[in-house]
Amino acid sequence: MGIVRKGISTIGDVEFVDGILNVGEETATPLIKEVKKQTIHGKTNIVDSPPGTACSMVETVRESDFCILVTESTPFGLSDLKLAVNVLKILKIPFGVIINKYEERYKETEIYLKENNIILLGKIGLDKKIAEQYSRGIIPAMESDKIKKDMEKVMEEIRNILSKKREV
């Protein structure tokens, strides 16, 4: 089934849980279920999903209060986004989108979001500095006040969406 690990990050008091699939295992679903058992009720839990719309993605988002879909400014990114949107609609999970590696010249993703009344939570520009930070294991939001403020804004927007949902 793989290995479930727990720890506390070195940046603040952030607890994390992850799962490492054993080499040769065909499915991540049992490991994802074990990782999700470690979530803490009453706290914000962020569960990172494998890409795509296979069983592992469905298991990861199942019973979520909200899902952040991350896509890229490419035709392939838009195609995958449409598949993920359809899955979340079937599962009746509210969601929003962040466009990563955003390029202004590719507008099709934003057009799709607007035409389908999908919340655009933010855009992360195509930035070599961010890529370099990731490659060194640095979290860009810890190095950039702008990125940190952008991520805080995303979390605030999600909290607002969820509070409105609870009022209904």
Side-chain angles (χ1 to χ4, degrees), residues 44-52 57 60-62 64-71 81 84-85 88 93-100 113 118-124 150-159 161-162:
T44 299
N45 295 279
I46 299 173
V47 184
D48 188 16
S49 171
M57 177 272 203
T60 302
V61 303
R62 186 188 321 274
S64 295
D65 295 321
F66 192 88
C67 186
I68 301 170
L69 295 173
V70 180
T71 190
L81 176 65
V85 164
L88 293 175
I93 297 172
F95 61 93
V97 174
I98 293 178
I99 303 174
N100 191 23
L113 297 176
I118 296 172
I119 299 164
L120 176 59
L121 296 168
K123 303 173 194 173
I124 302 170
D150 289 346
M151 293 299 107
E152 288 170 349
K153 183 179 168 189
V154 167
M155 289 304 297
E156 186 61 32
E157 186 164 355
I158 292 169
R159 284 186 195 99
I161 291 166
L162 291 175

Side-chain angles (χ1 to χ4, degrees), residues 127-138:
D127 186 335
K128 185 176 179 181
K129 185 177 179 181
I130 291 173
E132 288 171 351
Q133 289 171 335
Y134 276 133
S135 71
R136 293 192 318 267
I138 296 170

Side-chain angles (χ1 to χ4, degrees), residues 15-26:
E15 298 176 41
F16 69 88
V17 179
D18 72 359
I20 301 173
L21 200 60
N22 293 322
V23 174
E25 285 185 290
E26 295 179 15

